[in-house]
Amino acid sequence: MLSRRELLARAGAGFGALAFRGLAAADAHFPARAKRVIFLFMHGGPSSVDSFDYKPLLLRDTGKPLPFAKPRVVFAQTGNLLRSPWDFKRHGASGLWCSELFPNLARHADKLCVVKSMHGSNPAHGGACLKIHTGSDTFVRPSLGAWVSYGLGSENRNLPSFLTINPSTDQGGAQTYGAGFLPAVHQGTRLEKDGALLDAKNPELGPAVQRAQIDLLRELRERRPSDAGADARLESFELAFRMQATALGVMDLSNESAATKAMYGIGRKPTDAFGRQCLLTRRLAEAGVRFIQVTHGGWDSHRTLRKLHEQRAGEVDGPISALLQDLDNRGLLEDTLVIWGGEFGRTPVVEL
């Protein structure tokens, strides 16, 4: 005879399985389609009210005092309301509002979904970067890319499932592409801003030496079969070894046509650098990488809103439009989730 407490203790582990069975049996409202994610991260805070979140009342009330209390903590003194310096127009059959900062992206209006309900809880760039990438600005948590890698795995055993191009080295740093408490194999593999793989080939370590390293790690793991860290190290070394035969070819843009390079703005200012990163992103998506992040910095404008936002938008508008078009032409956009955003935007006031 079991007591009620003993029965619950023994059967408790089965409650989760019952709940999962119910969830799995329920019909999804929308069937899942995304097989990969591309996160175009605009580091520094692209202004929502100057890009895709049209605020018509600002046209009427610009110059008036803020109609609600200021936050308890502010990083700079702010004055009255400030309308966007750029005009907005409706685009596409959906009538999506887009500012004149993004004329090329506006042509894809009917492919875009603008989320206007998000808000941040940390006014500092570092904390906000951690929050948008990991969901927490307080604790060490896996990044978004690591979760996608963990959940979907890899389509190409010779490439990482999570690659991050030109990530910020401060304001969140490696945690923004880290694996947290997930296995280390799911952390992001970092690429330089020009797309070069860090230490892709080490001339001092030939294939024989690298093979010996892997064999040594495998031997150590066999001695300590319960060491999860040894498993992660072995997986990372083996992946790095295989990547040398695959990654450099994927990242070589020289075999792309002149028309494709021109579409991405490669070879001309100000779009060359980001255009190369976006073209590389398409190639990585084709090659089976599950999560690709591209970081574009310099959006922290403060009193130089007009100058900096015009510069930064001019660098990314054309390449992002080309990426969407290229993915669509190749049948990849149908099952690719492309995210554009930053850690926060700006409040609709003038900074003194």
Side-chain angles (χ1 to χ4, degrees):
M1 177 69 69
L2 294 176
S3 68
R4 182 173 62 178
R5 180 170 295 179
E6 289 173 327
L7 177 63
L8 289 174
R10 295 187 183 187
F15 292 154
L18 290 173
F20 177 77
R21 180 181 178 184
L23 291 171
D27 291 334
H29 187 54
F30 294 107
R33 291 189 303 172
K35 295 180 179 178
R36 67 196 65 83
V37 179
I38 294 171
F39 185 14
L40 306 173
F41 180 60
M42 306 292 109
H43 184 204
S47 172
S48 55
V49 298
D50 296 301
S51 54
F52 303 102
D53 191 8
Y54 181 46
K55 301 293 187 186
L57 289 185
L58 278 179
L59 298 176
R60 183 195 70 188
D61 296 336
T62 188
K64 296 180 181 179
L66 195 67
F68 46 82
K70 293 181 180 180
R72 182 175 60 87
V73 177
V74 295
F75 279 73
Q77 291 300 314
T78 55
N80 294 337
L81 294 172
L82 175 68
R83 60 155 290 175
S84 175
W86 298 279
D87 292 332
F88 279 72
K89 291 181 180 178
R90 290 185 179 275
H91 295 269
S94 63
L96 183 72
W97 287 101
C98 299
S99 92
E100 58 183 327
L101 276 175
F102 298 97
N104 292 291
L105 266 175
R107 295 202 292 266
H108 300 275
D110 293 333
K111 301 187 185 81
L112 306 181
C113 173
V114 179
V115 180
K116 302 181 181 181
S117 57
M118 293 185 66
H119 67 279
S121 60
N122 194 315
H125 289 282
C129 283
L130 285 175
K131 194 70 174 286
I132 194 171
H133 284 92
T134 72
S136 175
D137 52 5
T138 308
F139 303 104
V140 177
R141 293 289 186 266
S143 61
L144 177 60
W147 277 117
V148 171
S149 170
Y150 178 74
L152 297 181
S154 177
E155 288 188 310
N156 188 332
R157 67 184 301 270
N158 295 329
L159 288 173
S161 53
F162 174 18
L163 278 163
T164 176
I165 303 172
N166 193 32
S168 173
T169 55
D170 58 0
Q171 297 184 349
Q175 285 189 51
T176 61
Y177 53 92
F181 50 72
L182 295 177
V185 70
H186 299 295
Q187 71 182 17
T189 297
R190 178 182 166 189
L191 304 183
E192 292 281 23
K193 62 182 178 180
D194 60 356
L197 182 67
L198 293 180
D199 298 325
K201 283 192 174 180
N202 189 334
E204 298 178 0
L205 299 178
V209 176
Q210 294 179 53
R211 181 72 261 172
Q213 287 180 326
I214 294 174
D215 291 341
L216 175 60
L217 284 174
R218 181 175 287 111
E219 180 181 342
L220 293 174
R221 186 185 65 170
E222 291 173 353
R223 293 179 185 178
R224 303 176 62 183
S226 62
D227 185 355
D231 287 340
R233 285 190 293 273
L234 180 59
E235 286 187 64
S236 65
F237 269 67
E238 288 181 334
L239 175 60
F241 186 77
R242 296 193 303 270
M243 284 177 65
Q244 295 178 79
T246 303
L248 296 180
V250 173
M251 292 186 287
D252 182 7
L253 307 183
S254 63
N255 59 353
E256 293 286 343
S257 69
T260 297
K261 293 177 181 177
M263 180 175 69
Y264 279 90
I266 295 173
R268 62 178 185 269
K269 298 293 184 180
T271 53
D272 179 77
F274 196 69
R276 291 179 182 275
Q277 294 170 22
C278 285
L279 178 53
L280 174 59
T281 295
R282 189 267 290 165
R283 292 174 64 88
L284 292 170
E286 280 185 310
V289 179
R290 289 290 193 184
F291 192 99
I292 308 148
Q293 176 162 331
V294 187
T295 300
H296 182 272
W299 290 85
D300 189 8
S301 52
H302 292 272
R303 297 179 182 87
T304 55
L305 171 69
R306 181 153 200 157
K307 177 182 178 181
L308 276 186
H309 268 56
E310 286 181 349
Q311 288 179 352
R312 301 299 172 252
E315 291 164 0
V316 305
D317 175 50
I320 297 175
S321 173
L323 175 61
L324 294 178
Q325 189 62 56
D326 206 4
L327 290 171
D328 198 17
N329 291 344
R330 296 167 184 269
L332 291 169
L333 191 59
E334 180 68 19
D335 51 16
T336 302
L337 176 63
V338 182
I339 305 171
W340 182 94
E343 66 268 36
F344 45 57
R346 77 166 176 94
T347 50
V349 293
V350 62
E351 186 171 320
L352 300 177

